[in-house]
Amino acid sequence: MRRGVLSQHFSGVAVKRLAEVDANPASSNQHEVTGSQSLLRILGESDRKAPHGGEDNRFRATYIWLSEDQEPVSEDGRLSWYDSRRRNPKRNAEWRLYYQRNTVTELMSPGDVLFIARTPDDRLLFIVTPDEGTIRNQLLWLFGLDRAVGFEFDTHLIGPGTDAELDFAARYILDELGIEPSEPEADELDSLIAPFGLTFPATRVLSNLARNSLPEVDARDDPDSALVLWMEREEQLFRRLERKIVADRIREGFVTNDAVDVDGFLKFSLSVQNRRKARAGAALENHLAAILDVYGIRYARGVETENGNRPDFLFPGQKEYRDPSYPASHLTMLGAKSTLKDRWRQVLSEAARIEHKHLLTLEPGISEKQTGEMHAKNLQLVVPASLHQTYKPVQRAWLMNVAQFLSYVSLQN
């Protein structure tokens, strides 16, 4: 399976922890982030500002706020970068990065982490996220930056020798940034989805197609890799078909009775986002079920336990779970969520007879705080082996991979 590389989207990135003077304009009377010599590697030595009466050559910028506690916030704008002492050659250069006041900068606080990422088309991403959170971990991993973020900019150039393939974890994080990578295998994907025309097939149909299109992938050899590759291929197929369907709908326009149908557009946009989330979860369950079938493991999918709860997978089945004489120690449940945020707590009440529960996710770099809470509540996190690298060493020692879970549940059955 061919993938793109990170340099297709970024030429360099810088990161720092925001000080009081950076995040609070009242502290400096300016909307300014303290610059540094290292930032010159990313932004260059040319002044980028709006001269009086002249051309505005400031960086085009997208301001992004990412937090686990709320929906992402994004706003387009500008960023100024220049040497404030250029007219005084007797003094050392003092480079400054001025930002615009907007929804994103209003949300940031001292101690938050700021990423400045430059794209090949000369745009900057001004990304702010709370410290020590999952998103911070994911971005540091994506850009190959040190986890110890200080108050001075740490920079990293992206290109030959430092480039990285956009594997599943990288594509996941890019999606959080609102970036959709191009598909090197676009022609092959188009031929696979051609029979569907401009209609979404049932999720099971697309999941089967994803697996069948990768005949070289065998879950018996490596269930961890199989799960990730199948999910990645289904996501490629889905996004490719979605692009065609959305493009066709946009061509139709959003006009009702000669008036722009704003409500219709918003409703359509929301349906696109909801479909993405719902299908990702269903796809994960489909591919997990295929792996369990290959290993001949008995399970029930989505059956009721008590109080209307329906765990994603119950081992060995509903009959055994409802039998009071069946040993609770031989029962297992597995929740499956492509992304977590705070939703992992939902699985804690899904099977009262099972004290030690399991939850599989594809989310990279979950914070230590969250994994610590899971551990304390007897919830074992299962993550495909290739994603373990996005976690800290102390977390990896506790994580379970797919192959290990299969061994565990086989013994329980």
Side-chain angles (χ1 to χ4, degrees):
M1 186 183 297
R2 291 183 292 121
R3 306 177 178 91
V5 291
L6 192 61
S7 61
Q8 292 175 307
H9 303 280
F10 302 102
S11 59
V13 64
V15 63
K16 69 164 291 183
R17 190 186 310 279
L18 291 173
E20 176 74 24
V21 70
D22 300 320
N24 185 1
S27 297
S28 64
N29 296 317
Q30 299 282 0
H31 293 86
E32 171 191 355
V33 174
T34 305
S36 67
Q37 285 297 116
S38 63
L39 198 53
L40 289 170
R41 300 177 64 213
I42 307 300
L43 303 186
E45 298 188 31
S46 299
D47 285 346
R48 302 292 297 265
K49 61 180 182 177
H52 297 292
E55 182 182 356
D56 185 348
N57 72 336
R58 292 176 294 174
F59 283 105
R60 294 172 298 124
T62 300
Y63 293 79
I64 303 171
W65 167 262
L66 293 173
S67 168
E68 294 147 66
D69 301 327
Q70 63 187 95
E71 290 298 312
V73 178
S74 177
E75 190 168 324
D76 288 333
R78 297 276 184 171
L79 280 166
S80 297
W81 170 248
Y82 63 92
D83 177 8
S84 62
R85 294 178 176 174
R86 188 175 293 280
R87 295 183 180 180
N88 191 343
K90 294 183 180 181
R91 303 181 66 186
N92 293 331
E94 187 175 275
W95 288 91
R96 298 184 178 184
L97 181 66
Y98 287 100
Y99 57 85
Q100 296 172 314
R101 180 177 179 178
N102 55 44
T103 307
V104 172
T105 60
E106 288 291 301
L107 289 169
M108 67 188 192
S109 303
D112 289 344
V113 177
L114 168 67
F115 294 83
I116 302 292
R118 189 169 184 174
T119 67
D121 64 353
D122 207 31
R123 174 182 289 273
L124 296 182
L125 301 187
F126 185 100
I127 309 165
V128 185
T129 185
D131 190 25
E132 297 301 337
T134 297
I135 295 170
R136 165 199 181 272
N137 295 345
Q138 292 171 346
L139 292 174
L140 289 173
W141 176 84
L142 175 69
F143 293 124
L145 293 163
D146 195 314
R147 290 181 182 270
V149 181
F151 289 102
E152 293 290 330
F153 274 109
D154 179 25
T155 60
H156 178 62
L157 294 175
I158 301 169
T162 62
D163 215 344
E165 185 182 47
L166 297 180
D167 60 9
F168 183 88
R171 295 167 73 96
Y172 175 100
I173 300 166
L174 288 178
D175 190 58
E176 290 289 296
L177 294 173
I179 297 172
E180 190 164 331
S182 58
E183 291 297 350
E185 299 178 311
D187 291 341
E188 180 183 350
L189 296 174
D190 286 344
S191 66
L192 289 170
I193 62 175
F196 304 133
L198 295 176
T199 303
F200 283 116
T203 307
R204 288 181 185 271
V205 173
L206 202 61
S207 295
N208 288 336
L209 176 61
R211 293 194 296 273
N212 292 335
S213 71
L214 297 172
E216 70 280 9
V217 177
D218 190 339
R220 287 167 293 192
D221 295 333
D222 188 344
D224 287 85
S225 293
L227 179 61
V228 171
L229 289 170
W230 288 342
M231 282 295 296
E232 188 172 6
R233 173 49 62 90
E234 180 161 354
E235 184 71 8
Q236 289 176 323
L237 293 169
F238 172 74
R239 291 294 180 98
R240 195 69 185 170
L241 180 57
E242 179 190 63
R243 181 178 289 273
K244 294 177 181 296
I245 293 173
V246 170
D248 183 69
R249 181 65 185 87
I250 291 174
R251 277 192 293 268
E252 291 181 6
F254 293 88
V255 179
T256 302
N257 298 326
D258 296 326
V260 176
D261 185 7
V262 176
D263 290 339
F265 171 78
L266 293 175
K267 183 178 180 180
F268 177 73
S269 177
L270 183 61
S271 70
V272 170
Q273 297 300 320
N274 289 340
R275 184 184 294 112
R276 285 184 176 184
K277 295 174 183 177
R279 292 184 71 99
L284 179 58
E285 291 184 35
N286 290 339
H287 297 309
L288 276 172
I291 291 173
L292 294 170
D293 290 340
V294 165
Y295 279 79
I297 295 173
R298 292 189 299 151
Y299 67 92
R301 183 175 170 183
V303 296
E304 186 174 347
T305 51
E306 58 269 306
N307 301 321
N309 289 311
R310 295 178 179 273
D312 297 319
F313 294 91
L314 188 63
F315 308 88
Q318 186 184 46
K319 178 182 177 181
E320 291 79 3
Y321 185 86
R322 289 182 169 178
D323 182 357
S325 65
Y326 192 86
S329 60
H330 289 184
L331 296 170
T332 306
M333 69 146 286
L334 177 70
K337 295 185 182 296
S338 57
T339 61
L340 289 191
K341 299 193 183 295
D342 281 334
R343 296 182 301 138
W344 60 267
R345 293 181 177 83
Q346 296 172 3
V347 307
L348 297 177
S349 61
E350 287 182 347
R353 288 192 67 194
I354 302 173
E355 181 180 1
H356 190 72
K357 299 176 172 62
H358 291 74
L359 172 62
L360 186 146
T361 186
L362 301 177
E363 183 162 359
I366 296 172
S367 69
E368 279 188 272
K369 178 183 177 182
Q370 289 215 50
T371 56
E373 288 184 52
M374 294 176 199
H375 192 204
K377 295 183 181 296
N378 285 326
L379 179 63
Q380 174 64 57
L381 195 61
V382 182
V383 179
S386 62
L387 301 184
H388 284 210
Q389 61 179 313
T390 67
Y391 288 77
K392 296 181 180 181
V394 67
Q395 294 172 293
R396 294 176 207 165
W398 167 72
L399 290 176
M400 181 180 279
N401 62 35
V402 178
Q404 290 169 332
F405 174 77
L406 293 173
S407 296
Y408 171 84
V409 77
S410 295
L411 292 173
Q412 297 299 103
N413 274 243

